[in-house]
Amino acid sequence: MNLRLAHVALLAAATMLAGCNASLEDIAPKAERQLPAKVVQTMKAKGMSTTSPIMVRLFKEEAVLEVWKQKDNGRFDLVKTYEICKWSGKLGPKFTEGDRQAPEGFYAVGPHQMNPQSSYHLSFNIGFPNAYDRAHGRSGQHLMVHGGCSSSGCYSMTDEQVEEIYAFARDAFKGGQQAFQLQAYPFRMTAQNMARYKSDPNYEFWTMLKEGYDHFEITKLPPKVDVCERRYVFNQYTADGRPFSPTGACPAATQPEALQTAYKTYKSTFDVAFTSALDSSAFSKPAPSITGVKEAALVADWSRKRARGERVSQEPPNFEQSGVMVSTRPPSERPAAAAVAYQPAPQPVPAPMPAPVAAAPVAEPAPIAVAPAPQPAEPPSRLGRLMTLFGN
C-alpha cells in the first residue's frame, strides 16, 4: 500500500509540474538518460565498466558509427554499432566552409564539446579543424555528430541513437577520460576497398589515414596521433618529449619495436590481398567522391548563393572524375553545351605509402600491447564550455 501511495504521489507531482509549464524534459533530461540495461550487460560481459574510456569510428560508405570501449586488460573492444541516418557530401575530406563535406581524419572530443541544448536533440562537436586541417588551410565550424537525422556537413543520427552515443561519452568523462578519439573514414579500409578506390583523387590521403586504421586494428588501442610536415604520424615518440609542429619538419622519433614488427606482418598480408583485389574484375562501383579544393570551392559558392536566395540547382554542383564541371544553372537556363571543362586542382596530400609488394599470406596478427596514447590537455574554462552550448 505504501508503495502504491508513493507512486500516486510521484504521478501527482509530475502532473503539477506539467501544469506549471514544465515538460518531460524537465523531469528526465535527455542528456542524463542512462544506457539501456542490455548495453550495460554487454559491457560487463566484455570486462568493461560503464565509466571506462571510449573511442568512436565512423565509416561513410557503410554509413556506420561504432562505439568502442576499454576493457579491464586495457585494450578496446566494440560495444555497439549504429547506422548513420545521414551524412553530408561525398567521400573525401572537408576542404572549406560551405562545401557540405563531413570531415575525415582523426579528432579529439572533450567535455566542452558536448552540447546538451543542441537544436538537433543532442550533439557533440567533432573538433574540426584539427592540426592537420589547419596545416592545410581548411576551414569550417560546428561540425557535429547530432540527432535530428538532417545534415549539411555533419554526421546525423536518430534522436534515440544520439542519446545512447551521448551517454557513452558522458559516462566516460565521469570516469576521468579527458577526451575520446573519433576516427572518421571514407570506408572500411580493407584491401578490396583500397583497390576499388586506387584511382580516386583522394587515394593518397586515404592511404595516410589507413596507417592509423591499421595500428588500431593491430593493437586495439587508439593510436597516438601527431601532425608534422603537414601529414599525420602515428605512435611516434620523441626521446626528449619534443612536440610535433604541424607545418615543421618531423623531429627524430621512434616507434615501439613490437608495433613495427606487427605492422610489417600485417602489411605483408594486406599487400597480397590488395594485389589479388587489383587483379579481380568483381569490383562494386565506387561511391562518388570530392575531387579536391576546386570542387569544394564550387560547392561553397553554391551554398552562399543558395543562402542569399539566388536561383541555383537543387543539388550542389560537382566535378566529374574526368574533370568536367556539372553546371550550377537550373535546367531551363543551361546553354546547349551544358558542361564546361576544367582540370581539377591537385589536392594537397602527404607522400604516398610505398607501393604494395606481393608476399606469402599469413594469418592476421593478434593484438599486441602498446602503451596507450597520452591523454589530451585539460578542457577549456567554464566560460568556454558555456559558449559551446550555443554552437549548434
Side-chain angles (χ1 to χ4, degrees):
M1 179 62 74
N2 289 339
L3 287 175
R4 182 176 297 176
L5 288 173
H7 181 65
V8 171
L10 285 172
L11 287 175
T15 304
M16 289 174 65
L17 284 171
C20 296
N21 296 322
S23 66
L24 180 61
E25 198 56 54
D26 297 311
I27 302 167
K30 57 183 179 286
E32 295 302 323
R33 290 174 192 163
Q34 301 303 302
L35 287 167
K38 186 176 180 181
V39 174
V40 176
Q41 290 171 1
T42 298
M43 290 191 293
K44 288 182 179 178
K46 292 191 172 190
M48 306 164 180
S49 70
T50 56
T51 57
S52 62
I54 67 165
M55 189 198 82
V56 170
R57 293 203 302 184
L58 294 154
F59 299 96
K60 284 182 176 177
E61 187 172 31
E62 292 84 0
V64 161
L65 182 151
E66 297 176 342
V67 176
W68 292 70
K69 206 160 177 58
Q70 191 175 49
K71 300 192 294 185
D72 294 340
N73 65 6
R75 300 210 181 110
F76 283 66
D77 199 354
L78 182 64
V79 179
K80 192 163 182 179
T81 298
Y82 300 89
E83 183 178 347
I84 298 173
C85 192
K86 288 184 180 179
W87 56 267
S88 182
K90 304 177 181 180
L91 303 188
K94 181 173 184 64
F95 290 95
T96 188
E97 178 81 33
D99 65 7
R100 301 173 68 87
Q101 282 290 110
E104 294 174 7
F106 292 80
Y107 298 90
V109 180
H112 63 286
Q113 291 161 247
M114 308 293 287
N115 187 357
Q117 304 296 330
S118 173
S119 301
Y120 297 91
H121 197 65
L122 291 169
S123 69
F124 58 82
N125 193 304
I126 291 171
F128 180 95
N130 62 14
Y132 175 88
D133 301 318
R134 291 191 297 271
H136 286 266
R138 297 178 179 176
S139 61
Q141 56 183 334
H142 311 309
L143 281 303
M144 307 277 177
V145 171
H146 61 67
C149 196
S150 173
S151 179
S152 59
C154 301
Y155 292 96
S156 181
M157 317 300 295
T158 66
D159 291 350
E160 183 180 5
Q161 289 172 330
V162 82
E163 282 186 12
E164 286 191 15
I165 298 164
Y166 195 97
F168 274 117
R170 178 202 65 216
D171 292 348
F173 294 142
K174 287 181 179 178
Q177 187 173 21
Q178 295 182 5
F180 67 85
Q181 189 174 100
L182 184 146
Q183 304 174 2
Y185 298 105
F187 41 75
R188 294 193 184 278
M189 310 202 92
T190 63
Q192 291 73 24
N193 281 338
M194 294 301 288
R196 283 172 62 211
Y197 289 96
K198 180 67 173 68
S199 300
D200 193 277
N202 301 291
Y203 183 77
E204 291 182 357
F205 171 71
W206 292 338
T207 299
M208 177 181 55
L209 297 187
K210 187 180 183 300
E211 184 176 352
Y213 175 95
D214 292 347
H215 283 202
F216 179 73
E217 289 292 306
I218 294 167
T219 67
K220 292 300 184 284
L221 292 170
K224 176 180 178 290
V225 181
D226 292 288
V227 179
C228 57
E229 297 176 5
R230 303 173 73 231
R231 62 184 173 88
Y232 285 113
V233 292
F234 303 99
N235 292 317
Q236 295 282 350
Y237 298 86
T238 56
D240 55 358
R242 179 182 171 189
F244 291 79
S245 169
T247 56
C250 292
T254 59
Q255 205 173 62
E257 186 176 347
L259 175 59
Q260 292 183 50
T261 302
Y263 180 67
K264 184 177 180 181
T265 302
Y266 185 97
K267 193 168 184 308
S268 294
T269 303
F270 170 84
D271 290 345
V272 172
F274 180 85
T275 301
S276 175
L278 284 177
D279 294 337
S280 171
S281 58
F283 279 158
S284 57
K285 185 178 178 180
S289 66
I290 194 163
T291 57
V293 292
K294 187 173 284 189
E295 181 174 346
L298 189 69
V299 176
D301 182 61
W302 174 89
S303 296
R304 288 188 292 270
K305 290 178 179 177
R306 190 183 187 202
R308 292 194 297 262
E310 297 183 24
R311 191 179 181 192
V312 294
S313 59
Q314 286 189 340
E315 295 298 322
N318 65 87
F319 284 109
E320 296 176 355
Q321 295 296 323
S322 61
V324 175
M325 185 188 80
V326 177
S327 175
T328 61
R329 296 182 184 180
S332 61
E333 297 182 4
R334 290 180 189 170
V340 182
Y342 285 87
Q343 289 299 320
Q347 180 183 342
V349 290
M353 290 178 65
V357 223
V362 294
E364 182 179 348
I368 63 166
V370 177
Q375 293 284 3
E378 289 291 334
S381 66
R382 181 177 300 174
L383 176 60
R385 294 194 295 272
L386 288 174
M387 291 299 290
T388 58
L389 295 180
F390 303 94
N392 188 22

